[in-house]
mmCIF file of all heavy atoms in Angstrom:
data_model
loop_
_atom_site.group_PDB
_atom_site.id
_atom_site.type_symbol
_atom_site.label_atom_id
_atom_site.label_comp_id
_atom_site.label_asym_id
_atom_site.label_seq_id
_atom_site.Cartn_x
_atom_site.Cartn_y
_atom_site.Cartn_z
ATOM 1 N N HIS A 1 -1.201 -13.685 8.224
ATOM 2 C CA HIS A 1 -1.431 -14.237 6.891
ATOM 3 C C HIS A 1 -2.850 -14.780 6.858
ATOM 4 O O HIS A 1 -3.239 -15.570 7.714
ATOM 5 C CB HIS A 1 -0.429 -15.349 6.587
ATOM 6 C CG HIS A 1 0.985 -14.864 6.628
ATOM 7 N ND1 HIS A 1 1.674 -14.525 5.502
ATOM 8 C CD2 HIS A 1 1.819 -14.636 7.666
ATOM 9 C CE1 HIS A 1 2.877 -14.119 5.842
ATOM 10 N NE2 HIS A 1 2.993 -14.176 7.157
ATOM 11 N N LEU A 2 -3.629 -14.350 5.868
ATOM 12 C CA LEU A 2 -5.011 -14.789 5.704
ATOM 13 C C LEU A 2 -5.118 -15.565 4.402
ATOM 14 O O LEU A 2 -4.623 -15.122 3.363
ATOM 15 C CB LEU A 2 -5.947 -13.581 5.670
ATOM 16 C CG LEU A 2 -7.424 -13.865 5.442
ATOM 17 C CD1 LEU A 2 -8.274 -12.920 6.265
ATOM 18 C CD2 LEU A 2 -7.817 -13.780 3.994
ATOM 19 N N VAL A 3 -5.755 -16.727 4.456
ATOM 20 C CA VAL A 3 -6.059 -17.508 3.252
ATOM 21 C C VAL A 3 -7.554 -17.785 3.282
ATOM 22 O O VAL A 3 -8.053 -18.433 4.200
ATOM 23 C CB VAL A 3 -5.259 -18.832 3.199
ATOM 24 C CG1 VAL A 3 -5.642 -19.631 1.960
ATOM 25 C CG2 VAL A 3 -3.773 -18.555 3.228
ATOM 26 N N HIS A 4 -8.261 -17.279 2.287
ATOM 27 C CA HIS A 4 -9.717 -17.422 2.203
ATOM 28 C C HIS A 4 -10.062 -18.617 1.333
ATOM 29 O O HIS A 4 -9.295 -18.995 0.457
ATOM 30 C CB HIS A 4 -10.312 -16.135 1.614
ATOM 31 C CG HIS A 4 -11.791 -16.043 1.720
ATOM 32 N ND1 HIS A 4 -12.627 -16.550 0.760
ATOM 33 C CD2 HIS A 4 -12.579 -15.526 2.690
ATOM 34 C CE1 HIS A 4 -13.888 -16.318 1.120
ATOM 35 N NE2 HIS A 4 -13.878 -15.701 2.291
ATOM 36 N N GLU A 5 -11.227 -19.207 1.568
ATOM 37 C CA GLU A 5 -11.631 -20.377 0.785
ATOM 38 C C GLU A 5 -11.770 -20.074 -0.704
ATOM 39 O O GLU A 5 -11.676 -20.975 -1.527
ATOM 40 C CB GLU A 5 -12.950 -20.962 1.320
ATOM 41 C CG GLU A 5 -14.173 -20.127 1.002
ATOM 42 C CD GLU A 5 -15.470 -20.841 1.311
ATOM 43 O OE1 GLU A 5 -15.459 -22.018 1.686
ATOM 44 O OE2 GLU A 5 -16.516 -20.207 1.166
ATOM 45 N N SER A 6 -11.976 -18.804 -1.045
ATOM 46 C CA SER A 6 -12.124 -18.422 -2.449
ATOM 47 C C SER A 6 -10.782 -18.353 -3.171
ATOM 48 O O SER A 6 -10.738 -18.176 -4.383
ATOM 49 C CB SER A 6 -12.800 -17.052 -2.540
ATOM 50 O OG SER A 6 -11.936 -16.047 -2.027
ATOM 51 N N GLY A 7 -9.681 -18.461 -2.410
ATOM 52 C CA GLY A 7 -8.360 -18.337 -3.009
ATOM 53 C C GLY A 7 -7.718 -16.995 -2.737
ATOM 54 O O GLY A 7 -6.546 -16.786 -3.029
ATOM 55 N N PHE A 8 -8.481 -16.063 -2.169
ATOM 56 C CA PHE A 8 -7.945 -14.751 -1.810
ATOM 57 C C PHE A 8 -6.881 -14.929 -0.733
ATOM 58 O O PHE A 8 -7.075 -15.665 0.225
ATOM 59 C CB PHE A 8 -9.068 -13.840 -1.304
ATOM 60 C CG PHE A 8 -8.611 -12.507 -0.799
ATOM 61 C CD1 PHE A 8 -8.294 -11.497 -1.676
ATOM 62 C CD2 PHE A 8 -8.494 -12.273 0.565
ATOM 63 C CE1 PHE A 8 -7.869 -10.259 -1.210
ATOM 64 C CE2 PHE A 8 -8.073 -11.050 1.047
ATOM 65 C CZ PHE A 8 -7.762 -10.036 0.157
ATOM 66 N N VAL A 9 -5.737 -14.270 -0.907
ATOM 67 C CA VAL A 9 -4.630 -14.349 0.050
ATOM 68 C C VAL A 9 -4.224 -12.938 0.426
ATOM 69 O O VAL A 9 -4.153 -12.054 -0.428
ATOM 70 C CB VAL A 9 -3.422 -15.091 -0.581
ATOM 71 C CG1 VAL A 9 -2.244 -15.099 0.371
ATOM 72 C CG2 VAL A 9 -3.806 -16.507 -0.962
ATOM 73 N N TRP A 10 -3.976 -12.728 1.706
ATOM 74 C CA TRP A 10 -3.537 -11.423 2.197
ATOM 75 C C TRP A 10 -2.532 -11.641 3.315
ATOM 76 O O TRP A 10 -2.652 -12.594 4.082
ATOM 77 C CB TRP A 10 -4.737 -10.638 2.726
ATOM 78 C CG TRP A 10 -4.382 -9.308 3.311
ATOM 79 C CD1 TRP A 10 -4.280 -8.125 2.644
ATOM 80 C CD2 TRP A 10 -4.076 -9.017 4.678
ATOM 81 N NE1 TRP A 10 -3.927 -7.126 3.513
ATOM 82 C CE2 TRP A 10 -3.796 -7.650 4.775
ATOM 83 C CE3 TRP A 10 -3.995 -9.793 5.835
ATOM 84 C CZ2 TRP A 10 -3.458 -7.026 5.961
ATOM 85 C CZ3 TRP A 10 -3.653 -9.179 7.025
ATOM 86 C CH2 TRP A 10 -3.402 -7.812 7.088
ATOM 87 N N HIS A 11 -1.540 -10.771 3.392
ATOM 88 C CA HIS A 11 -0.651 -10.768 4.546
ATOM 89 C C HIS A 11 -0.182 -9.354 4.801
ATOM 90 O O HIS A 11 -0.075 -8.539 3.881
ATOM 91 C CB HIS A 11 0.528 -11.735 4.399
ATOM 92 C CG HIS A 11 1.428 -11.439 3.252
ATOM 93 N ND1 HIS A 11 2.470 -10.562 3.331
ATOM 94 C CD2 HIS A 11 1.437 -11.909 1.990
ATOM 95 C CE1 HIS A 11 3.091 -10.501 2.165
ATOM 96 N NE2 HIS A 11 2.479 -11.312 1.334
ATOM 97 N N GLY A 12 0.034 -9.054 6.076
ATOM 98 C CA GLY A 12 0.470 -7.716 6.434
ATOM 99 C C GLY A 12 1.002 -7.665 7.850
ATOM 100 O O GLY A 12 0.832 -8.599 8.639
ATOM 101 N N ALA A 13 1.636 -6.559 8.157
ATOM 102 C CA ALA A 13 2.204 -6.357 9.484
ATOM 103 C C ALA A 13 1.085 -6.120 10.489
ATOM 104 O O ALA A 13 0.072 -5.501 10.182
ATOM 105 C CB ALA A 13 3.151 -5.166 9.462
ATOM 106 N N ALA A 14 1.297 -6.629 11.687
ATOM 107 C CA ALA A 14 0.316 -6.474 12.756
ATOM 108 C C ALA A 14 0.886 -5.578 13.843
ATOM 109 O O ALA A 14 2.077 -5.642 14.147
ATOM 110 C CB ALA A 14 -0.044 -7.832 13.343
ATOM 111 N N SER A 15 0.036 -4.751 14.413
ATOM 112 C CA SER A 15 0.455 -3.975 15.580
ATOM 113 C C SER A 15 0.399 -4.912 16.782
ATOM 114 O O SER A 15 -0.189 -5.992 16.707
ATOM 115 C CB SER A 15 -0.486 -2.781 15.766
ATOM 116 O OG SER A 15 -1.743 -3.212 16.218
ATOM 117 N N PRO A 16 0.980 -4.534 17.909
ATOM 118 C CA PRO A 16 0.932 -5.409 19.077
ATOM 119 C C PRO A 16 -0.487 -5.738 19.545
ATOM 120 O O PRO A 16 -0.729 -6.805 20.095
ATOM 121 C CB PRO A 16 1.692 -4.619 20.145
ATOM 122 C CG PRO A 16 2.647 -3.775 19.364
ATOM 123 C CD PRO A 16 1.890 -3.397 18.122
ATOM 124 N N SER A 17 -1.435 -4.828 19.284
ATOM 125 C CA SER A 17 -2.800 -5.067 19.753
ATOM 126 C C SER A 17 -3.690 -5.787 18.744
ATOM 127 O O SER A 17 -4.730 -6.316 19.109
ATOM 128 C CB SER A 17 -3.455 -3.747 20.137
ATOM 129 O OG SER A 17 -3.481 -2.876 19.026
ATOM 130 N N GLY A 18 -3.300 -5.818 17.468
ATOM 131 C CA GLY A 18 -4.125 -6.502 16.476
ATOM 132 C C GLY A 18 -3.908 -5.975 15.076
ATOM 133 O O GLY A 18 -2.949 -5.258 14.800
ATOM 134 N N VAL A 19 -4.845 -6.304 14.192
ATOM 135 C CA VAL A 19 -4.722 -5.924 12.788
ATOM 136 C C VAL A 19 -6.118 -5.732 12.193
ATOM 137 O O VAL A 19 -7.062 -6.410 12.579
ATOM 138 C CB VAL A 19 -3.929 -7.000 12.003
ATOM 139 C CG1 VAL A 19 -4.659 -8.323 11.989
ATOM 140 C CG2 VAL A 19 -3.619 -6.555 10.592
ATOM 141 N N THR A 20 -6.232 -4.779 11.283
ATOM 142 C CA THR A 20 -7.462 -4.590 10.517
ATOM 143 C C THR A 20 -7.235 -5.192 9.146
ATOM 144 O O THR A 20 -6.219 -4.935 8.502
ATOM 145 C CB THR A 20 -7.808 -3.099 10.377
ATOM 146 O OG1 THR A 20 -7.980 -2.545 11.679
ATOM 147 C CG2 THR A 20 -9.077 -2.907 9.561
ATOM 148 N N LEU A 21 -8.173 -6.023 8.697
ATOM 149 C CA LEU A 21 -8.026 -6.642 7.388
ATOM 150 C C LEU A 21 -9.330 -6.573 6.614
ATOM 151 O O LEU A 21 -10.393 -6.392 7.195
ATOM 152 C CB LEU A 21 -7.543 -8.088 7.527
ATOM 153 C CG LEU A 21 -8.315 -9.012 8.469
ATOM 154 C CD1 LEU A 21 -9.434 -9.721 7.731
ATOM 155 C CD2 LEU A 21 -7.361 -10.011 9.066
ATOM 156 N N GLN A 22 -9.208 -6.669 5.317
ATOM 157 C CA GLN A 22 -10.363 -6.686 4.425
ATOM 158 C C GLN A 22 -10.283 -7.942 3.575
ATOM 159 O O GLN A 22 -9.258 -8.223 2.972
ATOM 160 C CB GLN A 22 -10.382 -5.455 3.520
ATOM 161 C CG GLN A 22 -10.618 -4.166 4.261
ATOM 162 C CD GLN A 22 -10.638 -2.974 3.317
ATOM 163 O OE1 GLN A 22 -10.093 -3.025 2.225
ATOM 164 N NE2 GLN A 22 -11.275 -1.907 3.745
ATOM 165 N N ALA A 23 -11.386 -8.677 3.548
ATOM 166 C CA ALA A 23 -11.437 -9.925 2.792
ATOM 167 C C ALA A 23 -12.890 -10.227 2.451
ATOM 168 O O ALA A 23 -13.803 -9.651 3.044
ATOM 169 C CB ALA A 23 -10.831 -11.055 3.609
ATOM 170 N N PRO A 24 -13.126 -11.142 1.524
ATOM 171 C CA PRO A 24 -14.499 -11.520 1.195
ATOM 172 C C PRO A 24 -15.166 -12.225 2.378
ATOM 173 O O PRO A 24 -14.494 -12.777 3.249
ATOM 174 C CB PRO A 24 -14.347 -12.493 0.025
ATOM 175 C CG PRO A 24 -12.936 -12.467 -0.383
ATOM 176 C CD PRO A 24 -12.148 -11.841 0.706
ATOM 177 N N GLU A 25 -16.480 -12.214 2.386
ATOM 178 C CA GLU A 25 -17.223 -12.957 3.404
ATOM 179 C C GLU A 25 -16.972 -14.446 3.221
ATOM 180 O O GLU A 25 -16.771 -14.920 2.109
ATOM 181 C CB GLU A 25 -18.722 -12.684 3.294
ATOM 182 C CG GLU A 25 -19.126 -11.312 3.792
ATOM 183 C CD GLU A 25 -20.624 -11.162 3.855
ATOM 184 O OE1 GLU A 25 -21.210 -10.851 2.815
ATOM 185 O OE2 GLU A 25 -21.196 -11.363 4.942
ATOM 186 N N GLY A 26 -16.986 -15.177 4.328
ATOM 187 C CA GLY A 26 -16.844 -16.613 4.266
ATOM 188 C C GLY A 26 -15.681 -17.121 5.098
ATOM 189 O O GLY A 26 -14.962 -16.352 5.730
ATOM 190 N N PRO A 27 -15.474 -18.441 5.105
ATOM 191 C CA PRO A 27 -14.427 -19.055 5.925
ATOM 192 C C PRO A 27 -13.013 -18.706 5.454
ATOM 193 O O PRO A 27 -12.759 -18.583 4.257
ATOM 194 C CB PRO A 27 -14.665 -20.553 5.770
ATOM 195 C CG PRO A 27 -16.034 -20.683 5.205
ATOM 196 C CD PRO A 27 -16.315 -19.438 4.449
ATOM 197 N N CYS A 28 -12.121 -18.555 6.430
ATOM 198 C CA CYS A 28 -10.721 -18.294 6.132
ATOM 199 C C CYS A 28 -9.869 -18.788 7.296
ATOM 200 O O CYS A 28 -10.383 -19.106 8.365
ATOM 201 C CB CYS A 28 -10.468 -16.817 5.872
ATOM 202 S SG CYS A 28 -10.725 -15.778 7.307
#
């Protein structure tokens, strides 16, 4: 689950080794 300072929220399934995500630049 990703929560970005801009209010953008994303969540998705992760593989055992990791996850690829797309989000705006900045703190999250």
Side-chain angles (χ1 to χ4, degrees):
H1 300 262
L2 177 143
V3 178
H4 191 272
E5 73 169 355
S6 68
F8 175 79
V9 176
W10 177 88
H11 61 86
S15 71
S17 59
V19 64
T20 300
L21 52 90
Q22 293 180 337
E25 286 188 276
C28 66

